[in-house]
Amino acid sequence: MADNNSLVGGQPLLRKLNYRVILVQVLVTLFLYINFLLITTFFMKHFFYTTMRYIFFANTLVSDCLILIFTNTLLIMSYFPFTIQTWLCLIIYIVLSLYTFVTPVTLTAMTLERFVAICMPLRHAELCSTRRALHCILIIHGLSSIPCIVFLSVFFASATHSFYSQDRICSVEAFTIHRWQGHLRSAISQFYFSIMFITIVISYIKIMKVAKAASGENKKSTWKGLRTVILHAFQLLLCLIQLWCPVIEAAILQIDFMLYIDVRYFNYITFILVPRCLSPLIYGLRDDKFFLALKYYALCGLYKKKSYDFSS
């Protein structure tokens, strides 16, 4: 009994959890700082906020920031048991549910923009204008809200009025009253991600055909676009695996609580934090124009490069 207490209720477990929370805080703070710096750079140049691919990029940054802030809040509340009323938890759930889909749907839109730029260059200016980009942002949020609306409609039909005034530790599982609700959410999510993954694969195949036929500078630009699509596919794959995490964690919880804690921590780092740090890598550091602008503004204008036109 003494050994069990030391593992589950004693100080060693508390220190272990606290170390993990501190590590997550460091990572989240770092990613948020980088994202806010990228968002600031985006708004500093007219060229960025009038170009479709950079508008989509900024949309993923905002989405990722909201995901990081809210998931980190839930993490802290679960590690240091802090209860809130269900209606407030419901608001947090709506934001998380919406922006869990906004990022991958935007990734798919960014892939299609690269497809148009490489495979249909003569129509790129027409199809990828600033006005169309803003319309696409609205469509992205509309498509992303459908799973949340469906799931919440089922939840509202099942929950009693007293449920909303209860105090509880906020989690996604709090709104899954019946097991089939979890299956419904998973089915809708799998359908969405299957469509998005197929879209990215088809775009990859089309771009690859153009890359093989291109030459000179066009070939170099095309292969760079192809690598971007591959990174989008990898990022989307991590988001897809994230959907299976609650199912796996629920099964492990029935077997071993300590293993459940370890697996849940690993899933949070690998499938929530890591995909959110790939967006800055794909467009913030690999894109030459954005990287030079970021370097310029990050160093308060001390860095200048003659080959870069800051007036564009």
Side-chain angles (χ1 to χ4, degrees):
M1 291 298 292
D3 291 338
N4 289 336
N5 288 336
S6 65
L7 287 174
V8 179
Q11 292 301 318
L13 176 59
L14 291 177
R15 285 199 295 268
K16 185 178 181 181
L17 294 178
N18 286 336
Y19 293 151
R20 289 179 171 182
V21 170
I22 292 172
L23 176 59
V24 169
Q25 301 317 300
V26 172
L27 292 175
V28 169
T29 302
L30 177 62
F31 293 156
L32 285 176
Y33 171 76
I34 294 173
N35 284 359
F36 285 139
L37 187 59
L38 292 170
I39 292 172
T40 302
T41 302
F42 168 79
F43 283 107
M44 294 299 287
K45 281 184 62 61
H46 180 267
F47 173 75
F48 292 144
Y49 58 78
T50 56
T51 304
M52 177 177 275
R53 70 176 182 270
Y54 295 115
I55 295 174
F56 285 162
F57 173 51
N59 192 53
T60 62
L61 291 176
V62 173
S63 174
D64 290 345
C65 286
L66 290 172
I67 289 288
L68 289 174
I69 291 171
F70 280 95
T71 56
N72 189 49
T73 301
L74 292 182
L75 177 71
I76 293 174
M77 287 194 298
S78 65
Y79 272 179
F80 305 100
F82 181 77
T83 60
I84 59 175
Q85 287 201 332
T86 304
W87 66 267
L88 182 56
C89 182
L90 181 62
I91 294 175
I92 296 176
Y93 170 77
I94 291 173
V95 174
L96 282 176
S97 179
L98 173 63
Y99 284 97
T100 294
F101 282 91
V102 165
T103 292
V105 174
T106 306
L107 289 176
T108 307
M110 294 170 80
T111 300
L112 292 175
E113 187 276 332
R114 288 293 83 198
F115 167 78
V116 173
I118 294 171
C119 300
M120 307 168 63
L122 298 180
R123 299 198 61 191
H124 183 260
E126 173 193 351
L127 296 176
C128 300
S129 63
T130 305
R131 180 186 293 271
R132 288 183 183 273
L134 297 177
H135 289 165
C136 285
I137 295 295
L138 294 176
I139 294 173
I140 287 169
H141 280 78
L143 291 174
S144 301
S145 66
I146 292 175
C148 180
I149 292 173
V150 171
F151 186 76
L152 286 179
S153 298
V154 175
F155 167 73
F156 289 144
S158 305
T160 60
H161 291 291
S162 60
F163 183 85
Y164 302 101
S165 59
Q166 296 176 6
D167 289 335
R168 61 177 63 239
I169 296 176
C170 188
S171 66
V172 175
E173 291 78 10
F175 302 101
T176 306
I177 300 176
H178 306 290
R179 178 176 292 184
W180 61 267
Q181 290 176 280
H183 296 322
L184 174 64
R185 182 176 66 233
S186 178
I188 295 174
S189 300
Q190 298 299 332
F191 172 76
Y192 262 67
F193 279 85
S194 297
I195 295 298
M196 290 185 283
F197 202 79
I198 291 172
T199 301
I200 289 180
V201 170
I202 293 175
S203 299
Y204 173 83
I205 294 172
K206 296 285 188 181
I207 294 175
M208 179 176 282
K209 290 181 179 179
V210 174
K212 290 181 177 179
S215 60
E217 287 297 320
N218 289 335
K219 192 177 187 68
K220 182 180 178 181
S221 176
T222 302
W223 280 104
K224 185 175 181 179
L226 196 62
R227 289 193 295 270
T228 299
V229 173
I230 294 174
L231 287 171
H232 285 333
F234 176 68
Q235 192 175 6
L236 188 64
L237 180 62
L238 292 178
C239 293
L240 178 62
I241 296 174
Q242 177 190 341
L243 297 175
W244 290 99
C245 291
V247 178
I248 297 172
E249 291 167 4
I252 293 176
L253 181 59
Q254 303 299 320
I255 302 172
D256 189 311
F257 178 75
M258 287 304 303
L259 181 60
Y260 165 77
I261 294 293
D262 292 336
V263 170
R264 190 162 194 176
Y265 178 76
F266 172 81
N267 289 343
Y268 181 76
I269 296 292
T270 307
F271 303 120
I272 294 181
L273 291 188
V274 171
R276 268 73 201 179
C277 76
L278 287 180
S279 292
L281 171 65
I282 295 173
Y283 271 93
L285 301 180
R286 292 181 66 251
D287 186 279
D288 294 334
K289 285 188 176 181
F290 203 93
F291 177 71
L292 290 175
L294 174 64
K295 198 170 184 179
Y296 177 83
Y297 293 116
L299 298 177
C300 303
L302 296 177
Y303 171 84
K304 293 184 179 180
K305 189 173 180 64
K306 293 181 180 180
S307 62
Y308 184 75
D309 181 12
F310 283 94
S311 64
S312 61

